[in-house]
C-alpha cells in the first residue's frame, strides 16, 4: 500500500465541501516527524490531540488506528512528516455543532523539510508586525484556525529568513510562526506561557520535561539581553536562532545539550549529530 | 442543470485535503439569501468578499462568474441560501502562502431557515460565556476561522433560544453568534464597531445606510436600559430580540421600520410581511 493520503482510513485525496473543517476550520491537526517507522514524540502528539478534541467537544480518534494509518501513509519513506487532521465532520450549514458528530480523519505523509544546516548554524529571524489575539478558549490547541500564522508568515518571502517572532498585544514574545521559543536570560532558561495565545508545542513539552525551564512573561526588549535564543519544533527539533532583526547570537550550550537530547530520542539525522 | 454544489465551476462535492481552506481555514465565505433568482444584497456581498480577499492577499473571484454559478446551484429553488467559499487553494504543507495562489471556489445552495415567526414575535437570546478575541487584522472579514462562533454556539442546545450575545474581553457587546446587533438607547440607534473583533455584516451595512445609526461602544449592562434590541442578518433579515437572559423587550418601531425596508428590498416572505 503506497497511498500517501488516507481519509477515514481509505485512500482518497478529497473531503466533502460540507466538512466543518473546510467550512469553519472546525478541527485540529498534528504534524509528526517520523524516522523510519518510529515517531519519537508520538505519545505527546496523541496526548495533545486528545486534549484538544476534549476542549473542542470533538470525539477523539483512536490512537492505535492513527498509528496504523500513519505507518500506511509513510509506507517506505525513510523520513516523513505525517499530518493528522481531525475535524467535527460533515454538518448542516450553521455554527451549531451536530448533536452526534462523526469526525473526519485525514492522515497524510509529506517529505520532511531540510533541517541539518539550521540545526548546526542557527536561523535568521524577523519580528512579525501581526500581534496574536488573546483567546484562552483556543490557546494551546493546534486547531485549524490558522489565519494569524498565515498572515504573519506572509509578511516576508526572503528565503534567508527562516522564521518570525510573534508577540501578543502587550509586546510580550509568544512564539515563532511554526515553532515555540526559548531564551536564556540571566543564566535561566525561559519560555512564554501559551494559555492566552500560541500553541503548546509537543517539542516544547519535551523540553519542559527534559530540563529546567521557567514559564515566564518575556517582553520583546529583554531578548536583547538573552545569551541564547532557540526554537523548538516537532518537525525541526531544536534550532538555534542566529539573529532577530539587529540582535545576533551564537548557538549556545543549552541548545546544544537539547539537540543531544533530541538525538538520544532517535532524531539523529535532524540535529546535525 | 440541478447540481447544488459547484467546485471551481464543476459539479462536485469534494475538495482536496491539501486545500488551505481545509488545512488552515485559509479563506472566506458569504452566505447569500436568494428570493427566486434575485439576491437583493448581492452587491454588498461581492464588495465584502472582494475587500476580504484583498486583506487576506487572496486573488478575488470574478463576481459575474459567481453570479452565474449562484444561479446554477439555486436551479429551481424558490428560496435559497447560497454559500460562496473562496480559499487560497492547494498549497504545500506549511503556513507560507504559495507565491502564485490558485484560489478554490465553492458555490453551494441550501434551503433557507424558517424566519417568519422570529421576524414577527422576536427571538430569545442568551449571553455567551466565550469572549471574542481582538484581532484587528481579521476583524470585520467573514473568514473561515470560525471556532469562536462554533464554541459560543455550542454553549446551549435549547431550541427555544435562537441566539447568543458575544462580548469582547472588556464586557462590550459585539454581536450575536451569526448576526449583528442593534440597540435603541436613549432614543438613539446604536451598533458596535467591528474593527477589533466581529464581522461586518452585509445586513448591518444595509441598516447603516438605510437609517441613522451611531457606531458606539455598548457595555453589556447598558442593554438593560435599551428600549429596543434587534439583530440583522443577510439570511434572516431584521429579527427583534424578545429577551436576553432576564431582560425582555417588545418588537419596537425601529425594527418594524427596517423590516419594511427589507420587504421593499424584495425580501417580502422573510419579514412577516
Amino acid at each position: 500500500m503506497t497511498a500517501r493520503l488516507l481519509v477515514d482510513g481509505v485512500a482518497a485525496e478529497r473531503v466533502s465541501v460540507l466538512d466543518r473543517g473546510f467550512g469553519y476550520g472546525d478541527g485540529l491537526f498534528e504534524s509528526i516527524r517520523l524516522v523510519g517507522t518510529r515517531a519519537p514524540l508520538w505519545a505527546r502528539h496523541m496526548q495533545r490531540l486528545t486534549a484538544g478534541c476534549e476542549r473542542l467537544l470533538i470525539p477523539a480518534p483512536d490512537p492505535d488506528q492513527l498509528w496504523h494509518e500513519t505507518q500506511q501513509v509513510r509506507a517506505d519513506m525513510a523520513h516523513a512528516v505525517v499530518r493528522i487532521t481531525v475535524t467535527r465532520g460533515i454538518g448542516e450549514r450553521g455554527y451549531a455543532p451536530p448533536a452526534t458528530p462523526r469526525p473526519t480523519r485525514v492522515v497524510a505523509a509529506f517529505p520532511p523539510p531540510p533541517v541539518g544546516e539550521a540545526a548546526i548554524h542557527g536561523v535568521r529571524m524577523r519580528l512579525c508586525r501581526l500581534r496574536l489575539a488573546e483567546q484562552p478558549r483556543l490557546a494551546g490547541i493546534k486547531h485549524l484556525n490558522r489565519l494569524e500564522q498565515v498572515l504573519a508568515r506572509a509578511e516576508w518571502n526572503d528565503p534567508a529568513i527562516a522564521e518570525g517572532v510573534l508577540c501578543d498585544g502587550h509586546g510580550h514574545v509568544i512564539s515563532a510562526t511554526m515553532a515555540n521559543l526559548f531564551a536564556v536570560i540571566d543564566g535561566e532558561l525561559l519560555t512564554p506561557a501559551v494559555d492566552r495565545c500560541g500553541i503548546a508545542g509537543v517539542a516544547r513539552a519535551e523540553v519542559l520535561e527534559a530540563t529546567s525551564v521557567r514559564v515566564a512573561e518575556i517582553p520583546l526588549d529583554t531578548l536583547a539581553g538573552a545569551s541564547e535564543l532557540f526554537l523548538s519544533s516537532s518537525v525541526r527539533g531544536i534550532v538555534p536562532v542566529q539573529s532577530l532583526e539587529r540582535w545576533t547570537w551564537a548557538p549556545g550550550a543549552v541548545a546544544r545539550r537539547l539537540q543531544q537530547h533530541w538525538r538520544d530520542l532517535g532524531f539523529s539525522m535532524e540535529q546535525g549529530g
Side-chain angles (χ1 to χ4, degrees), chain A:
Chain A
M1 164 88 187
T2 55
R4 289 291 183 265
L5 286 168
L6 292 172
V7 177
D8 292 333
V10 177
E13 293 181 3
R14 299 171 90 77
V15 290
S16 169
V17 298
L18 303 178
D19 193 281
R20 293 174 59 100
F22 186 74
Y24 304 122
D26 191 6
L28 312 104
F29 70 110
E30 295 288 333
S31 297
I32 304 172
R33 187 73 168 84
L34 264 78
V35 183
T37 59
R38 290 193 60 216
L41 297 174
W42 179 262
R44 292 193 188 281
H45 283 289
M46 290 304 106
Q47 199 173 4
R48 179 174 64 180
L49 182 61
T50 304
C53 283
E54 259 174 49
R55 284 178 63 189
L56 295 187
L57 312 170
I58 295 175
D62 172 14
D64 291 340
Q65 189 178 44
L66 292 178
W67 176 253
H68 178 68
E69 293 176 2
T70 294
Q71 295 301 332
Q72 270 188 282
V73 295
R74 75 157 279 281
D76 55 356
M77 294 169 82
H79 291 266
V81 174
V82 170
R83 177 176 157 142
I84 296 175
T85 308
V86 177
T87 80
R88 205 181 304 272
I90 290 175
E92 305 276 301
R93 205 186 58 80
Y95 298 127
T100 51
R102 297 184 50 205
T104 300
R105 195 172 76 248
V106 177
V107 181
F110 301 87
V115 287
E117 279 295 301
I120 297 169
H121 302 295
V123 293
R124 289 175 55 193
M125 292 186 78
R126 74 195 305 278
L127 177 64
C128 292
R129 286 188 306 276
L130 180 136
R131 299 299 182 98
L132 292 172
E134 297 185 25
Q135 179 49 274
R137 291 286 298 277
L138 295 174
I141 305 179
K142 203 168 173 78
H143 56 66
L144 295 176
N145 279 198
R146 290 296 155 210
L147 275 172
E148 286 189 323
Q149 281 72 25
V150 170
L151 288 183
R153 186 57 189 80
E155 288 184 19
W156 81 97
N157 53 27
D158 177 355
I161 306 290
E163 258 287 16
V165 161
L166 287 165
C167 292
D168 66 13
H170 309 288
H172 295 141
V173 172
I174 301 296
S175 66
T177 68
M178 53 180 182
N180 286 103
L181 189 138
F182 291 79
V184 179
I185 298 178
D186 294 331
E188 189 181 26
L189 182 57
L190 305 176
T191 195
V194 289
D195 54 354
R196 295 171 299 113
C197 45
I199 298 175
V202 153
R204 175 182 182 272
E206 182 67 28
V207 173
L208 286 174
E209 211 171 282
T211 188
S212 174
V213 188
R214 186 161 64 88
V215 174
E217 280 191 353
I218 305 180
L220 178 63
D221 285 350
T222 63
L223 291 185
S227 58
E228 196 176 324
L229 194 66
F230 63 87
L231 305 174
S232 69
S233 153
S234 58
V235 170
R236 290 174 173 76
I238 303 298
V239 179
V241 176
Q242 202 180 91
S243 66
L244 167 60
E245 302 288 347
R246 66 188 181 285
W247 301 326
T248 59
W249 296 270
V254 179
R256 291 302 188 217
R257 204 169 62 234
L258 283 164
Q259 289 183 325
Q260 181 58 52
H261 178 75
W262 243 248
R263 285 191 289 270
D264 293 344
L265 288 172
F267 289 111
S268 50
M269 303 295 287
E270 296 73 45
Q271 294 296 313

